Amino acid sequence: MGLDESGRECGVAIVRATIKPGSKKGPLVEILDDGALQLYVRAPAVEGKANRAAIELLAAHYGVPKSAVRLTGGATSRFKRFEIDD
C-alpha cells in the first residue's frame, strides 16, 4: 500500500487470469477454485484484441476505469497477470 497525491492510502491488486478468446460464452468472468479468474471474451487473440477486451471486462467487473487495469505479464499467453489500482 502506498499513498496517493492527497495522502490517502491506495493499493494495487494483482489478479491472475486465464483468457478464453473468441468465446461465444463471453463476456464473462468466472472465479476458479484457486482464486484465479477465467475470462471469456468474444474478441479473437489477434493483434492484442483479446487483451484489450480482457482489460475492459476486468474494469467493468471491479468497477474501475480501464486506465486502472494494466497487463503486467503474459501478453502472448493464455495465462495473464493484471494489476488493478483502486
Side-chain angles (χ1 to χ4, degrees), residues 17-83:
T18 303
I19 298 204
K20 302 286 187 175
S23 173
K24 293 182 183 184
K25 191 174 177 178
L28 177 68
V29 176
E30 288 182 348
I31 300 171
L32 303 176
D33 292 337
D34 66 356
L37 300 179
Q38 182 111 2
L39 306 177
Y40 296 91
V41 297
R42 291 185 182 260
V46 176
E47 298 176 357
K49 291 179 183 177
N51 288 340
R52 287 191 293 277
I55 287 171
E56 290 177 17
L57 183 57
L58 284 173
H61 180 73
Y62 285 104
V64 297
K66 289 186 290 187
S67 62
V69 181
R70 289 181 306 282
L71 177 62
T72 58
T76 59
S77 170
R78 265 180 212 260
F79 306 102
K80 304 195 182 289
R81 192 173 56 250
F82 295 91
E83 286 184 357

